[in-house]
């Protein structure tokens, strides 16, 4: 079973792990969090590899080096991390060449449309081969003592992310013996290793993302057995007014007129009231998350990543590598 932290448990720095799987509801910023974490770890001298599993290459663009594409082979960016775009067919070819040791046969096999059709009908192979590649990346190359200090996976969004992590367990249960069963067992051990592996959920302080996160944490603990020790709450906003001014909308609305150049008192009151109401909804969502997970939080500010470039990622990175917000 995965480990969960009590309020008395010390919280390890994120970058002390070897494998961090970042997931969350679509649109919560998990790719941005993955990129920021990789940037922060590399800035602290770690050898970092960031694996992107989405359809498009987003991370090199976020890190300012969109060209040339990193592809499945990957490359080290000037800012430090190595980035690769996971291609399941390419990973499968690598695996088969290692197992069969007949490169020509593997090439002919993968060129067969019928083989592709067979694979496309087989559920779970992409997830298994992707995790197998992750396991392989964590092993030191033959004849070398160099290894990746931290591997970050920008995993599929919440629901698919759990299926992605649970496939090795399903294979181990279904296949009784042989190399596939043995290799899937290695991958399952990697996923369930609480010392080295961590699932990092990313959410927004909003109702639907928080509900998905609560379900994710529960299922990850009960069904997958991967460790979770904190939740990242992305795009949090500063309090719009100090506590003693929560009646500011009423005060503004009661003004006879606004100074020259400012919107009407009614408009100002509406804008401030909207910000206060939005902040209140965020507080409710965070309280629900706190009660439902018993996990510490890392709060990230609401910043313009596309407009701010790498400096914004560096700000987020600093928050990610700092200790998480403790339980109350």
């Amino acid at each position: 079973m995965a480990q969960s932290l009590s309020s008395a448990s010390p919280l390890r720095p994120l970058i002390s792990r070897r494998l961090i799987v970042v997931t969350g509801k679509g649109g919560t910023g998990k790719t941005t969090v993955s990129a920021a974490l990789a940037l922060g770890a590399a800035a602290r001298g770690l050898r970092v590899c960031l694996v992107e599993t989405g359809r498009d290459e987003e991370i090199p663009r976020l890190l300012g080096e969109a060209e040339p594409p990193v592809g499945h082979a990957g490359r080290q960016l000037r800012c430090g991390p190595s980035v690769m775009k996971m291609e399941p067919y390419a990973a499968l070819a690598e695996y088969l060449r290692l197992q069969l040791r007949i490169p020509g046969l593997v090439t002919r096999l993968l060129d067969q449309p019928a083989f592709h059709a067979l694979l496309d009908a087989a559920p779970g192979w992409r997830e298994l081969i992707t995790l197998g590649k992750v396991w392989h990346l964590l092993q030191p190359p033959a004849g070398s003592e160099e290894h990746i200090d931290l591997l970050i996976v920008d995993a599929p969004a919440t629901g698919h992310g759990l299926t992605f992590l649970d496939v090795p367990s399903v294979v181990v249960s279904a296949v009784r013996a042989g190399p596939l069963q043995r290799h899937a067992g290695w991958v399952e051990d990697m996923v369930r290793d609480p010392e080295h592996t961590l699932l990092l959920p990313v959410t927004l302080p909003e109702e639907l993302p928080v509900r998905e996160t609560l379900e994710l944490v529960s299922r990850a603990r009960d069904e997958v057995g991967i460790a979770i020790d904190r939740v990242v709450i992305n795009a949090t906003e500063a309090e719009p007014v100090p506590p003693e001014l929560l009646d500011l909308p009423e005060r503004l609305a009661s003004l006879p007129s606004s100074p020259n150049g400012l919107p009407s008192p009614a408009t100002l009151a509406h804008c401030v009231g909207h910000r206060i109401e939005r902040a209140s909804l965020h507080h409710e969502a965070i309280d629900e998350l706190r009660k439902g997970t018993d996990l510490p939080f890392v709060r990230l500010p609401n910043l313009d990543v596309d407009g701010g470039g790498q400096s914004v990622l560096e700000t987020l990175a600093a928050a990610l590598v700092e200790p998480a917000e403790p339980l109350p």
Side-chain angles (χ1 to χ4, degrees), residues 65-118:
E65 294 183 48
E67 297 295 336
V70 297
H72 183 75
R75 65 183 167 87
Q76 184 172 13
L77 305 187
R78 288 189 296 275
C79 58
S82 295
V83 180
M84 68 169 287
K85 167 73 172 64
M86 182 65 70
E87 298 290 351
Y89 275 104
L92 178 63
E94 292 172 350
Y95 176 74
L96 291 177
R97 289 186 182 111
L98 283 172
Q99 297 303 308
L100 301 178
R101 302 186 185 280
I102 310 176
L105 176 61
V106 173
T107 301
R108 287 196 295 275
L109 181 65
L110 292 176
D111 284 343
Q112 297 297 317
F115 184 70
H116 281 248
L118 181 65

Side-chain angles (χ1 to χ4, degrees), residues 215-295:
E215 182 180 357
L216 168 74
V217 171
S218 175
R219 291 184 55 201
R221 286 170 166 169
D222 296 341
E223 301 174 16
V224 180
I226 187 171
I228 308 176
D229 73 354
R230 73 199 76 192
V231 174
V232 174
I233 306 176
N234 194 21
T236 59
E237 296 185 6
E239 295 298 329
V241 295
E244 64 272 19
L245 288 180
L246 288 177
D247 62 345
L248 184 58
E250 291 77 13
R251 295 192 195 187
L252 290 170
S254 67
L255 293 175
S257 63
S258 298
N260 290 338
L262 290 179
S264 69
T267 300
L268 290 174
H270 176 76
C271 291
V272 175
H274 174 74
R275 291 290 308 276
I276 291 175
E277 182 179 4
R278 181 178 170 84
S280 175
L281 292 174
H282 284 188
H283 286 308
E284 289 178 10
I286 291 172
D287 284 345
E288 184 178 358
L289 190 64
R290 191 188 311 277
K291 293 173 184 173
T293 65
D294 73 354
L295 290 171

